[in-house]
Amino acid sequence: MIEALHYTFVQNALISAIIVSIISGIIGSLILVNKMTFLTGGIAHSSYGGIGLAIYFGLPIFLGASAFALFSALIIATIAFKQKHRIDIFIGIIWAVGMAIGIIFVDLTPGYNVDLMSYLFGSILAVTKSDLVFMASLLIVLLLFVHKYYYQILATSYDSEYASLKGINARVFFTLILLFSALAVVVAIKVVGLILVIALMTIPTYIAEQMSSSLYGMMIKSALFSTLFTVIGLIFSYNFDISSGATIILTSACGLFIYFIYAKLFKR
């Protein structure tokens, strides 16, 4: 694949893979400790509503998906903060309604010729410079947010009532975590598609959780594992000319299988 790096689209794909992997590692850790894994799939599928609206009104797809994902996250945050144990119900509703809106608006669009499969299963080789700017900007803001408010994020994630007693506005931080999760899902869709985004957010994070004693350590290890799996998957995808999104997820699954063998043989 070394010779392929001379091509701009391959360079963009590799850079986006690394950026999205780091974002997914951080956000995946927050989703896991907040017990909202289902949230990833809910926001991913609801963002299809934004894709449909963008196609119908002739807007940038990324803009439509981001706006709809953020709107969905705000709804979930508003309803579910006091009912985290029932958050799966609200996510399921947002999931179904978003998909339905997207399908209807795509059907209403006269003569559309957009490759919707690329949004379902990813199109990492189609990443543009403007996409990279958006991804890099999100990563920088996310890193600054986690660095500055790590204690507040930690307290809110593990015990929102304790956080409130300590004077932390847990509702605000819960909402911010959801908003960052929504944007992370949107950029991850570009890499693996909305069908596979749950796996990208959860497999590396699960391995990292088993090997970490703190949220900070989990984020770092999850980002590293996610980057490793994504880059290896991208290399296999290029060499064998197969779908990049599916290859990245299968590579992650193989990594999880290897970890299970390691844990069985060496961990007591």
Side-chain angles (χ1 to χ4, degrees):
M1 186 178 172
I2 300 298
E3 67 279 3
L5 291 175
H6 292 94
Y7 298 107
T8 302
F9 73 92
V10 177
Q11 296 172 6
N12 290 346
L14 184 59
I15 294 171
S16 67
I18 294 172
I19 293 175
V20 171
S21 295
I22 297 173
I23 293 173
S24 298
I26 296 171
I27 292 299
S29 299
L30 294 178
I31 289 173
L32 188 146
V33 298
N34 278 279
K35 297 180 175 60
M36 297 186 301
T37 302
F38 191 43
L39 166 76
T40 309
I43 293 179
H45 286 77
S46 71
S47 66
Y48 192 79
I51 294 173
L53 287 168
I55 292 172
Y56 183 80
F57 290 105
L59 300 172
I61 300 294
F62 229 168
L63 175 63
S66 298
F68 208 90
L70 288 172
F71 178 68
S72 300
L74 282 173
I75 293 177
I76 294 172
T78 301
I79 297 174
F81 178 71
K82 293 295 186 181
Q83 303 182 59
K84 282 189 178 182
H85 62 291
R86 306 305 302 274
I87 196 172
D88 56 329
I89 296 176
F90 303 115
I91 292 173
I93 294 171
I94 295 294
W95 181 318
V97 172
M99 286 290 290
I101 291 173
I103 292 170
I104 289 175
F105 274 95
V106 168
D107 288 342
L108 292 175
T109 305
Y112 74 91
N113 58 357
V114 177
D115 180 17
L116 293 177
M117 292 296 288
S118 65
Y119 296 101
L120 294 176
F121 299 102
S123 57
I124 193 171
L125 294 179
V127 171
T128 64
K129 287 187 177 179
S130 60
D131 293 336
L132 288 178
V133 170
F134 180 82
M135 293 174 180
S137 300
L138 175 59
L139 176 58
I140 292 171
V141 174
L142 178 60
L143 289 173
L144 291 174
F145 171 67
V146 172
H147 175 71
K148 184 174 179 61
Y149 298 108
Y150 176 75
Y151 172 76
Q152 291 88 336
I153 294 169
L154 182 67
T156 300
S157 297
Y158 283 100
D159 192 336
S160 58
E161 293 184 1
Y162 169 79
S164 298
L165 291 174
K166 285 291 186 178
I168 298 171
N169 194 329
R171 180 183 290 273
V172 169
F173 282 97
F174 178 72
T175 301
L176 287 173
I177 290 171
L178 285 178
L179 293 178
F180 274 114
S181 299
L183 292 176
V185 164
V186 171
V187 297
I189 286 174
K190 195 72 174 180
V191 176
V192 297
L194 63 86
I195 299 296
L196 304 173
V197 71
I198 296 178
L200 182 65
M201 293 281 185
T202 54
I203 294 177
T205 304
Y206 173 81
I207 299 173
E209 181 194 29
Q210 302 303 305
M211 303 173 66
S212 306
S213 58
S214 67
L215 177 60
Y216 184 74
M218 190 195 308
M219 288 179 178
I220 294 176
K221 291 174 183 174
S222 180
L224 291 174
F225 280 124
S226 184
T227 301
L228 177 65
F229 298 150
T230 302
V231 171
I232 292 176
L234 189 59
I235 292 173
F236 275 113
S237 170
Y238 178 83
N239 288 335
F240 294 98
D241 192 25
I242 51 181
S243 172
S244 57
T247 307
I248 289 169
I249 298 308
L250 284 179
T251 302
S252 301
C254 289
L256 180 61
F257 181 69
I258 292 171
Y259 170 75
F260 282 148
I261 294 176
Y262 164 79
K264 184 71 172 178
L265 293 177
F266 299 104
K267 294 184 72 174
R268 296 286 184 253

